[in-house]
Amino acid sequence: MSGPKKLHVKSFGCQMNVYDAQRMADTLAREGFVETETIEDADLVILNTCHIREKAAEKVYSELGRVRRLKDEAAHHGRKVTVAVAGCVAQAEGAEIVRRAPTVDLVVGPQNYHRLPDLIARAAQGERVVDTEFPVEDKFDHLAPASAAATRRRGVSAFLTVQEGCDKFCTFCVVPYTRGAEVSRPAAKIVAEAERLATAGVREITLIGQNVNSYHGEGADGRPLSLAGLVAAVADVPRIARIRYTTSHPRDMDDELIAAHRDLPQLMPQLHLPVQSGSDRILAAMNRRHTCDDYLRLVERLRRARPDMAFTSDFIVGFPGETEADFQATLAVVEDVGYAGAFSFKYSPRPGTPAAERDDQVADTHKAERLARLQALIDAGQDRFNESCVGRTFDVLLEKPGRHAGQLVGRSPYLQPVHVTAEPSRIGDIVAVTVTSMGGNSLFGHIVAPGERPPANIGTSAIAHA
Ligand code: 5AD
Ligand code: SF4
């Protein structure tokens, strides 16, 4: 076969995985792999799996059934396809995957993507490779060099990993087991990477980590730096106009970080702050270590610091022992906070987690019914939030071409997609847009002309209170 080797990464799950997919593609680009959108064309297929919810492992095995058929088909035409499983299911299942799925050549955990070239070379020799060891070297070292070249593809908004792992041990969650203990990257490395990203045209950086606001990496003075300190350091990087961070635990929102939302214009007024449940009894059983009232007071303090703050959350319905009254308390939180959007999930027992062992599991029919009610309430809140933006003017970072010629899509401060008419040369600009209508989850608007009198509410607005 001639031509470059082709890589297809199929990602499931969280933002961390989207970012990891880029990392894998960057690492393999240096080995001559080019990415293909078409799985049928690929010489190397990587399933980048997520373990967090709902029968994750089973879904991977059924996906592997499809991949096996592709691989067999290619073999008929004399073409070898290498199949790799990466991500958190790879980490959790390890060698079990090669035992159960003969089609898999390689299993690699999230800590070891920098070793992919070597692992693929071993797989090419016929070895069935499993690498889910937690490395002892600085596990972030491999992240730095790839960024500048890769960023152009990533556009004007980039993710930057600042910590991995979680020490919270919520009783439903596998992350502390699959991603390991919290490790924070030194601030100097993060700032250096932010500088490289900025040079490559990035205007917005989202600092990511499983429990990002527990960040405590080494600061310039050798002492641990908080996330607020890190955000301030990234805000000093020229051309970085917008900073976000995700995902946060309510317990780790300290005064300094709340003050940063008041003091740093670069820090966007939007926060993903999962509450999971509105019932104190369930929150305690989940080991969330805060009450519903703690959470509501935190939201209030953030809104005092930044009145136009928009919140999103994750919810779990049907956690073991959840009653209708507990669930009503969850509905009440949705109303109280007035979320701009939220993800909601049926509780799914993850093997090895304490909640999975409980004998008061909730019947699936209750879970399904509660999920539908919760989602209806969340959707209505999201529509209300989007409607509240119509007629307002705020800054939009223009990111990429829209679906129609002459159109660009950008993001509002609250992360909504906003469609405007603009030349492609304006990608990367931050422009004032007056929102004229909404459609689905996006907004439509027009760029405020230079002579047009700017409305009084530029940059703020869209208050999400219910
Ligand atoms: N069942 C259902 N949802 C879960 N999540 C995490 N673990 C589980 C589970 N076992 C959800 C939480 C978390 C989000 C990323 O996934 O809401 O915030
Ligand atoms: Fe999982 Fe809880 Fe850690 Fe989030 S804070 S990653 S839900 S253990």
Side-chain angles (χ1 to χ4, degrees):
M1 296 286 311
S2 61
K5 293 168 286 181
K6 292 196 182 136
L7 162 70
H8 181 86
V9 187
K10 185 159 185 186
S11 279
F12 304 82
C14 67
Q15 255 175 357
M16 186 67 89
N17 270 11
V18 176
Y19 178 79
D20 280 351
Q22 285 288 350
R23 260 169 69 195
M24 289 191 265
D26 294 345
T27 305
L28 291 168
R30 287 181 298 230
E31 304 295 312
F33 279 93
V34 296
E35 276 187 276
T36 171
E37 295 282 309
T38 324
I39 191 166
E40 288 82 5
D41 293 345
D43 303 293
L44 171 61
V45 174
I46 301 180
L47 297 186
N48 187 18
T49 61
C50 172
H51 196 256
I52 211 146
R53 288 184 291 275
E54 298 270 10
K55 304 191 178 77
E58 289 316 308
K59 282 189 185 155
V60 172
Y61 288 116
S62 76
E63 186 68 30
L64 281 170
R66 277 191 287 277
V67 173
R68 191 197 61 215
R69 286 190 286 281
L70 281 176
K71 183 170 170 161
D72 291 349
E73 179 68 23
H76 278 306
H77 297 93
R79 194 164 64 85
K80 179 172 164 34
V81 176
T82 303
V83 177
V85 179
C88 289
V89 174
Q91 187 66 43
E93 298 269 302
E96 177 66 14
I97 296 179
V98 291
R99 265 197 296 278
R100 258 185 78 175
T103 195
V104 173
D105 302 287
L106 164 60
V107 176
V108 57
Q111 277 77 13
N112 302 331
Y113 295 153
H114 57 300
R115 299 192 198 139
L116 265 173
D118 174 48
L119 302 176
I120 287 167
R122 280 164 53 195
Q125 302 295 315
E127 187 185 341
R128 301 191 71 203
V129 185
V130 177
D131 187 355
T132 52
E133 292 294 305
F134 279 42
V136 284
E137 73 261 36
D138 176 355
K139 64 184 196 173
F140 294 112
D141 266 358
H142 55 284
L143 291 179
S147 55
T151 305
R152 268 182 284 279
R153 240 179 325 125
R154 239 172 253 152
V156 298
S157 179
F159 296 127
L160 209 170
T161 300
V162 305
Q163 71 85 234
E164 281 189 50
C166 182
D167 296 342
K168 285 285 184 297
F169 288 91
C170 300
T171 56
F172 53 79
C173 185
V174 285
V175 165
Y177 310 97
T178 55
R179 293 280 178 149
E182 281 175 10
V183 185
S184 296
R185 226 175 147 189
K189 289 195 177 179
I190 295 166
V191 171
E193 186 161 355
E195 283 165 352
R196 269 193 298 275
L197 291 167
T199 311
V202 164
R203 307 294 319 275
E204 174 178 86
I205 288 185
T206 304
L207 306 173
I208 61 171
Q210 262 99 28
N211 187 9
V212 73
N213 57 345
S214 76
Y215 175 83
H216 53 268
E218 187 186 320
D221 57 4
R223 292 214 303 270
L225 188 70
S226 64
L227 184 65
L230 180 69
V231 167
V234 174
D236 280 341
V237 175
R239 283 189 59 81
I240 296 301
R242 291 183 158 194
I243 301 171
R244 306 177 188 275
Y245 58 91
T246 197
T247 293
S248 295
H249 192 287
R251 273 289 290 257
D252 294 325
M253 285 310 300
D254 60 16
D255 293 346
E256 211 192 340
L257 192 53
I258 295 172
H261 279 281
R262 182 192 60 208
D263 300 335
L264 287 176
Q266 292 95 330
L267 195 50
M268 289 292 98
Q270 171 269 327
L271 186 61
H272 187 60
L273 192 64
V275 66
Q276 312 294 358
S277 168
S279 153
D280 286 345
R281 213 173 59 83
I282 297 296
L283 287 169
M286 287 176 163
N287 190 32
R288 292 290 291 178
R289 299 186 250 180
H290 62 77
T291 62
C292 181
D293 189 53
D294 295 335
Y295 180 88
L296 292 174
R297 278 189 291 132
L298 177 59
V299 165
E300 201 45 54
R301 283 166 64 210
L302 280 153
R303 281 204 168 119
R304 271 203 301 276
R306 183 77 208 232
D308 64 331
M309 196 82 170
F311 292 91
T312 54
S313 179
D314 295 337
F315 291 96
I316 295 178
V317 299
F319 184 84
E322 185 187 74
T323 62
E324 173 63 24
D326 294 317
F327 176 66
Q328 291 286 343
T330 297
L331 296 178
V333 171
V334 175
E335 292 288 13
D336 281 354
V337 175
Y339 288 105
F343 299 107
S344 49
F345 313 105
K346 288 195 279 187
Y347 170 71
S348 137
R350 314 301 321 138
T353 58
E357 307 296 315
R358 290 180 50 154
D359 52 18
D360 51 356
Q361 302 290 330
V362 173
D364 194 61
T365 46
H366 290 314
K367 288 187 199 170
E369 182 255 348
R370 287 176 194 168
L371 186 69
R373 285 157 68 198
L374 177 60
Q375 275 175 349
L377 199 65
I378 290 168
D379 289 350
Q382 182 166 345
D383 285 349
R384 238 182 358 249
F385 177 74
N386 286 339
E387 270 160 28
S388 77
C389 295
V390 176
R392 297 176 187 273
T393 299
F394 41 62
D395 288 344
V396 170
L397 169 59
L398 299 175
E399 290 191 352
K400 57 185 180 195
R403 222 168 297 144
H404 305 293
Q407 212 180 40
L408 294 184
V409 191
R411 293 268 177 185
S412 76
Y414 318 104
L415 220 47
Q416 300 135 302
V418 184
H419 302 260
V420 295
T421 302
E423 294 296 315
S425 61
R426 304 215 58 184
I427 289 174
D429 286 357
I430 293 173
V431 294
V433 170
T434 300
V435 177
T436 48
S437 62
M438 63 177 266
N441 290 330
S442 5
L443 302 175
F444 298 85
H446 66 81
I447 298 179
V448 177
E452 214 175 314
R453 203 163 63 88
N457 60 352
I458 274 196
T460 57
S461 76
I463 295 176
H465 290 279

mmCIF file of all heavy atoms in Angstrom, residues 235-260:
data_model
loop_
_atom_site.group_PDB
_atom_site.id
_atom_site.type_symbol
_atom_site.label_atom_id
_atom_site.label_comp_id
_atom_site.label_asym_id
_atom_site.label_seq_id
_atom_site.Cartn_x
_atom_site.Cartn_y
_atom_site.Cartn_z
ATOM 1 N N ALA A 235 -4.036 34.626 32.557
ATOM 2 C CA ALA A 235 -4.649 35.884 32.093
ATOM 3 C C ALA A 235 -3.587 36.902 31.679
ATOM 4 O O ALA A 235 -3.861 37.802 30.892
ATOM 5 C CB ALA A 235 -5.544 36.463 33.185
ATOM 6 N N ASP A 236 -2.382 36.762 32.212
ATOM 7 C CA ASP A 236 -1.292 37.677 31.846
ATOM 8 C C ASP A 236 -0.672 37.342 30.494
ATOM 9 O O ASP A 236 0.161 38.092 29.996
ATOM 10 C CB ASP A 236 -0.171 37.610 32.906
ATOM 11 C CG ASP A 236 -0.539 38.437 34.123
ATOM 12 O OD1 ASP A 236 -1.444 39.307 33.988
ATOM 13 O OD2 ASP A 236 0.066 38.219 35.190
ATOM 14 N N VAL A 237 -1.038 36.202 29.920
ATOM 15 C CA VAL A 237 -0.441 35.828 28.626
ATOM 16 C C VAL A 237 -1.072 36.694 27.528
ATOM 17 O O VAL A 237 -2.297 36.713 27.390
ATOM 18 C CB VAL A 237 -0.679 34.323 28.331
ATOM 19 C CG1 VAL A 237 -0.178 33.965 26.933
ATOM 20 C CG2 VAL A 237 -0.010 33.460 29.394
ATOM 21 N N PRO A 238 -0.253 37.433 26.767
ATOM 22 C CA PRO A 238 -0.815 38.295 25.732
ATOM 23 C C PRO A 238 -1.669 37.500 24.744
ATOM 24 O O PRO A 238 -1.341 36.361 24.412
ATOM 25 C CB PRO A 238 0.426 38.877 25.029
ATOM 26 C CG PRO A 238 1.537 38.730 26.013
ATOM 27 C CD PRO A 238 1.217 37.523 26.839
ATOM 28 N N ARG A 239 -2.745 38.125 24.293
ATOM 29 C CA ARG A 239 -3.689 37.579 23.304
ATOM 30 C C ARG A 239 -4.655 36.540 23.865
ATOM 31 O O ARG A 239 -5.619 36.176 23.200
ATOM 32 C CB ARG A 239 -2.970 37.012 22.059
ATOM 33 C CG ARG A 239 -2.493 38.111 21.092
ATOM 34 C CD ARG A 239 -1.979 37.533 19.788
ATOM 35 N NE ARG A 239 -2.979 36.741 19.086
ATOM 36 C CZ ARG A 239 -3.953 37.241 18.318
ATOM 37 N NH1 ARG A 239 -4.082 38.538 18.177
ATOM 38 N NH2 ARG A 239 -4.796 36.437 17.704
ATOM 39 N N ILE A 240 -4.394 36.028 25.057
ATOM 40 C CA ILE A 240 -5.395 35.127 25.632
ATOM 41 C C ILE A 240 -6.488 36.007 26.231
ATOM 42 O O ILE A 240 -6.289 36.671 27.247
ATOM 43 C CB ILE A 240 -4.803 34.189 26.704
ATOM 44 C CG1 ILE A 240 -3.760 33.254 26.079
ATOM 45 C CG2 ILE A 240 -5.912 33.366 27.391
ATOM 46 C CD1 ILE A 240 -4.259 32.360 24.950
ATOM 47 N N ALA A 241 -7.653 35.997 25.548
ATOM 48 C CA ALA A 241 -8.706 36.932 25.932
ATOM 49 C C ALA A 241 -9.762 36.276 26.804
ATOM 50 O O ALA A 241 -10.531 36.956 27.476
ATOM 51 C CB ALA A 241 -9.356 37.496 24.671
ATOM 52 N N ARG A 242 -9.826 34.947 26.737
ATOM 53 C CA ARG A 242 -10.882 34.253 27.466
ATOM 54 C C ARG A 242 -10.320 33.030 28.173
ATOM 55 O O ARG A 242 -9.558 32.258 27.571
ATOM 56 C CB ARG A 242 -11.959 33.758 26.493
ATOM 57 C CG ARG A 242 -12.759 34.863 25.888
ATOM 58 C CD ARG A 242 -13.833 34.274 24.997
ATOM 59 N NE ARG A 242 -14.890 35.240 24.822
ATOM 60 C CZ ARG A 242 -16.093 34.974 24.338
ATOM 61 N NH1 ARG A 242 -16.398 33.735 23.991
ATOM 62 N NH2 ARG A 242 -17.000 35.908 24.225
ATOM 63 N N ILE A 243 -10.746 32.856 29.409
ATOM 64 C CA ILE A 243 -10.316 31.679 30.175
ATOM 65 C C ILE A 243 -11.560 31.027 30.786
ATOM 66 O O ILE A 243 -12.459 31.715 31.273
ATOM 67 C CB ILE A 243 -9.333 32.081 31.295
ATOM 68 C CG1 ILE A 243 -8.105 32.777 30.687
ATOM 69 C CG2 ILE A 243 -8.899 30.862 32.113
ATOM 70 C CD1 ILE A 243 -7.181 33.399 31.717
ATOM 71 N N ARG A 244 -11.591 29.702 30.688
ATOM 72 C CA ARG A 244 -12.628 28.911 31.356
ATOM 73 C C ARG A 244 -11.940 27.773 32.080
ATOM 74 O O ARG A 244 -10.770 27.478 31.815
ATOM 75 C CB ARG A 244 -13.610 28.311 30.344
ATOM 76 C CG ARG A 244 -14.239 29.327 29.408
ATOM 77 C CD ARG A 244 -15.152 28.628 28.378
ATOM 78 N NE ARG A 244 -15.610 29.556 27.365
ATOM 79 C CZ ARG A 244 -16.664 30.352 27.475
ATOM 80 N NH1 ARG A 244 -17.390 30.322 28.593
ATOM 81 N NH2 ARG A 244 -17.017 31.165 26.506
ATOM 82 N N TYR A 245 -12.656 27.086 32.936
ATOM 83 C CA TYR A 245 -12.078 25.906 33.581
ATOM 84 C C TYR A 245 -13.189 24.906 33.866
ATOM 85 O O TYR A 245 -14.331 25.286 34.115
ATOM 86 C CB TYR A 245 -11.312 26.284 34.861
ATOM 87 C CG TYR A 245 -12.133 27.006 35.899
ATOM 88 C CD1 TYR A 245 -12.804 26.311 36.890
ATOM 89 C CD2 TYR A 245 -12.257 28.385 35.872
ATOM 90 C CE1 TYR A 245 -13.564 26.972 37.829
ATOM 91 C CE2 TYR A 245 -13.013 29.062 36.802
ATOM 92 C CZ TYR A 245 -13.674 28.342 37.776
ATOM 93 O OH TYR A 245 -14.451 29.003 38.700
ATOM 94 N N THR A 246 -12.861 23.629 33.778
ATOM 95 C CA THR A 246 -13.864 22.596 34.008
ATOM 96 C C THR A 246 -13.167 21.266 34.268
ATOM 97 O O THR A 246 -12.082 21.057 33.721
ATOM 98 C CB THR A 246 -14.816 22.519 32.798
ATOM 99 O OG1 THR A 246 -16.004 21.831 33.142
ATOM 100 C CG2 THR A 246 -14.169 21.815 31.614
ATOM 101 N N THR A 247 -13.708 20.404 35.154
ATOM 102 C CA THR A 247 -14.952 20.457 35.903
ATOM 103 C C THR A 247 -14.646 20.717 37.367
ATOM 104 O O THR A 247 -13.687 20.161 37.902
ATOM 105 C CB THR A 247 -15.694 19.112 35.751
ATOM 106 O OG1 THR A 247 -16.110 18.971 34.404
ATOM 107 C CG2 THR A 247 -16.911 19.037 36.626
ATOM 108 N N SER A 248 -15.515 21.468 38.014
ATOM 109 C CA SER A 248 -15.252 21.903 39.382
ATOM 110 C C SER A 248 -16.093 21.136 40.395
ATOM 111 O O SER A 248 -17.218 20.752 40.106
ATOM 112 C CB SER A 248 -15.594 23.380 39.520
ATOM 113 O OG SER A 248 -14.736 24.143 38.714
ATOM 114 N N HIS A 249 -15.540 20.966 41.574
ATOM 115 C CA HIS A 249 -16.298 20.410 42.693
ATOM 116 C C HIS A 249 -16.696 21.560 43.613
ATOM 117 O O HIS A 249 -15.859 22.412 43.924
ATOM 118 C CB HIS A 249 -15.432 19.404 43.460
ATOM 119 C CG HIS A 249 -16.222 18.594 44.437
ATOM 120 N ND1 HIS A 249 -16.708 19.115 45.615
ATOM 121 C CD2 HIS A 249 -16.634 17.303 44.410
ATOM 122 C CE1 HIS A 249 -17.387 18.173 46.273
ATOM 123 N NE2 HIS A 249 -17.347 17.066 45.550
ATOM 124 N N PRO A 250 -17.972 21.588 44.055
ATOM 125 C CA PRO A 250 -18.409 22.715 44.898
ATOM 126 C C PRO A 250 -17.516 22.936 46.124
ATOM 127 O O PRO A 250 -17.285 24.075 46.528
ATOM 128 C CB PRO A 250 -19.822 22.304 45.323
ATOM 129 C CG PRO A 250 -20.295 21.394 44.240
ATOM 130 C CD PRO A 250 -19.078 20.655 43.748
ATOM 131 N N ARG A 251 -17.007 21.850 46.693
ATOM 132 C CA ARG A 251 -16.182 21.996 47.895
ATOM 133 C C ARG A 251 -14.875 22.740 47.638
ATOM 134 O O ARG A 251 -14.259 23.258 48.566
ATOM 135 C CB ARG A 251 -15.835 20.600 48.450
ATOM 136 C CG ARG A 251 -16.867 20.039 49.380
ATOM 137 C CD ARG A 251 -16.889 20.767 50.707
ATOM 138 N NE ARG A 251 -15.706 20.507 51.520
ATOM 139 C CZ ARG A 251 -15.674 19.704 52.552
ATOM 140 N NH1 ARG A 251 -16.751 19.069 52.934
ATOM 141 N NH2 ARG A 251 -14.561 19.539 53.245
ATOM 142 N N ASP A 252 -14.424 22.756 46.414
ATOM 143 C CA ASP A 252 -13.123 23.372 46.109
ATOM 144 C C ASP A 252 -13.240 24.779 45.513
ATOM 145 O O ASP A 252 -12.248 25.331 45.043
ATOM 146 C CB ASP A 252 -12.335 22.469 45.147
ATOM 147 C CG ASP A 252 -11.955 21.145 45.799
ATOM 148 O OD1 ASP A 252 -11.670 21.142 47.005
ATOM 149 O OD2 ASP A 252 -11.968 20.111 45.102
ATOM 150 N N MET A 253 -14.447 25.367 45.566
ATOM 151 C CA MET A 253 -14.601 26.760 45.108
ATOM 152 C C MET A 253 -14.182 27.661 46.259
ATOM 153 O O MET A 253 -14.975 27.942 47.140
ATOM 154 C CB MET A 253 -16.061 27.079 44.769
ATOM 155 C CG MET A 253 -16.638 26.542 43.499
ATOM 156 S SD MET A 253 -15.743 26.798 41.972
ATOM 157 C CE MET A 253 -15.647 28.553 41.844
ATOM 158 N N ASP A 254 -12.944 28.122 46.273
ATOM 159 C CA ASP A 254 -12.529 28.948 47.415
ATOM 160 C C ASP A 254 -12.759 30.440 47.147
ATOM 161 O O ASP A 254 -13.112 30.848 46.046
ATOM 162 C CB ASP A 254 -11.073 28.648 47.804
ATOM 163 C CG ASP A 254 -10.102 28.923 46.666
ATOM 164 O OD1 ASP A 254 -10.489 29.611 45.695
ATOM 165 O OD2 ASP A 254 -8.954 28.444 46.743
ATOM 166 N N ASP A 255 -12.574 31.249 48.203
ATOM 167 C CA ASP A 255 -12.854 32.695 48.107
ATOM 168 C C ASP A 255 -12.049 33.350 46.993
ATOM 169 O O ASP A 255 -12.527 34.238 46.292
ATOM 170 C CB ASP A 255 -12.498 33.394 49.430
ATOM 171 C CG ASP A 255 -13.422 32.956 50.543
ATOM 172 O OD1 ASP A 255 -14.468 32.353 50.227
ATOM 173 O OD2 ASP A 255 -13.091 33.209 51.720
ATOM 174 N N GLU A 256 -10.796 32.891 46.868
ATOM 175 C CA GLU A 256 -9.910 33.490 45.876
ATOM 176 C C GLU A 256 -10.438 33.269 44.452
ATOM 177 O O GLU A 256 -10.373 34.156 43.603
ATOM 178 C CB GLU A 256 -8.555 32.786 46.039
ATOM 179 C CG GLU A 256 -7.352 33.606 45.717
ATOM 180 C CD GLU A 256 -6.108 32.707 45.636
ATOM 181 O OE1 GLU A 256 -6.114 31.568 46.176
ATOM 182 O OE2 GLU A 256 -5.136 33.154 44.999
ATOM 183 N N LEU A 257 -10.966 32.059 44.221
ATOM 184 C CA LEU A 257 -11.485 31.743 42.882
ATOM 185 C C LEU A 257 -12.768 32.531 42.619
ATOM 186 O O LEU A 257 -13.001 33.023 41.509
ATOM 187 C CB LEU A 257 -11.715 30.230 42.777
ATOM 188 C CG LEU A 257 -11.980 29.653 41.396
ATOM 189 C CD1 LEU A 257 -10.917 30.060 40.391
ATOM 190 C CD2 LEU A 257 -12.062 28.124 41.468
ATOM 191 N N ILE A 258 -13.591 32.678 43.642
ATOM 192 C CA ILE A 258 -14.812 33.477 43.491
ATOM 193 C C ILE A 258 -14.427 34.923 43.186
ATOM 194 O O ILE A 258 -14.982 35.562 42.286
ATOM 195 C CB ILE A 258 -15.686 33.377 44.765
ATOM 196 C CG1 ILE A 258 -16.178 31.935 44.927
ATOM 197 C CG2 ILE A 258 -16.864 34.358 44.696
ATOM 198 C CD1 ILE A 258 -16.886 31.654 46.238
ATOM 199 N N ALA A 259 -13.423 35.435 43.899
ATOM 200 C CA ALA A 259 -12.970 36.817 43.662
ATOM 201 C C ALA A 259 -12.404 36.973 42.246
ATOM 202 O O ALA A 259 -12.561 38.029 41.628
ATOM 203 C CB ALA A 259 -11.926 37.201 44.703
ATOM 204 N N ALA A 260 -11.773 35.919 41.747
ATOM 205 C CA ALA A 260 -11.223 35.988 40.383
ATOM 206 C C ALA A 260 -12.334 36.237 39.362
ATOM 207 O O ALA A 260 -12.145 36.943 38.376
ATOM 208 C CB ALA A 260 -10.461 34.713 40.052
#
